[in-house]
Amino acid sequence: MNLDKFKHQHLDILGAITGLRALVQQGIAEQASAIAQQIVAMSGFIKLHLAVEDRVLYPALEQSGNAQLARMSRQYRGEMDHIANAYLAFAAKWNTPRLLAAEPEVFRSEANAVLRTLYERMRREDHEFYPAIEAGAPA
């Protein structure tokens, strides 16, 4: 299975997170409009990635006939449901400048938690899940 698109999408998401971080460092209240726009743009990358995983990657692995990859796929899918729901709730809450300007420290705290979880998940995919898929089974 060719995972290049998935890996490229991770780079897009990481780039969006880096861009968001740079805006936050300039001041949340001062950059509230740009931060809200960045969250909306980043959500597009994330929703696309999640949709492709759900429609293509997980079903292919679960129907592959490889029990180890099918098990990993189910595990990763289950974990991602929680992570995705947390991110989508975060994005829905913080995609308007008004709330960002009114509650910058709450935003910072929630962003740190949600984006750290998302980042750690992508690292696991890049270092464990994708290599196992490319090898045909986990080592």
Side-chain angles (χ1 to χ4, degrees):
M1 175 177 284
N2 187 334
L3 299 173
D4 290 346
K5 286 184 183 181
F6 294 99
K7 293 174 184 179
H8 184 73
Q9 289 171 348
H10 278 187
L11 294 176
D12 289 342
I13 294 166
L14 291 172
I17 292 171
T18 299
L20 181 63
R21 184 176 292 130
L23 291 169
V24 166
Q25 289 173 350
Q26 295 173 31
I28 296 169
E30 297 81 1
Q31 295 295 327
S33 181
I35 290 169
Q37 290 173 1
Q38 184 71 5
I39 289 170
V40 170
M42 184 168 58
S43 294
F45 294 136
I46 291 171
K47 288 176 184 178
L48 172 66
H49 185 71
L50 293 172
V52 176
E53 282 182 336
D54 283 342
R55 291 185 191 135
V56 177
L57 181 65
Y58 298 138
L61 294 173
E62 290 165 19
Q63 297 168 7
S64 69
N66 183 315
Q68 290 176 311
L69 288 178
R71 180 188 49 76
M72 282 185 82
S73 177
R74 286 189 297 273
Q75 176 187 345
Y76 271 76
R77 183 193 298 247
E79 292 170 2
M80 197 64 222
D81 286 344
H82 172 72
I83 295 167
N85 289 335
Y87 175 79
L88 294 173
F90 163 82
K93 178 179 180 180
W94 295 108
N95 66 4
T96 59
R98 182 191 51 76
L99 187 58
L100 287 160
E103 299 184 34
E105 292 311 311
V106 175
F107 167 76
R108 184 185 312 276
S109 175
E110 291 182 15
N112 283 338
V114 168
L115 297 178
R116 180 179 303 117
T117 300
L118 185 62
Y119 171 80
E120 289 170 357
R121 168 54 185 253
M122 286 188 295
R123 285 192 47 85
R124 278 187 56 224
E125 288 180 357
D126 289 338
H127 292 94
E128 296 172 14
F129 193 40
Y130 294 167
I133 295 167
E134 291 171 332

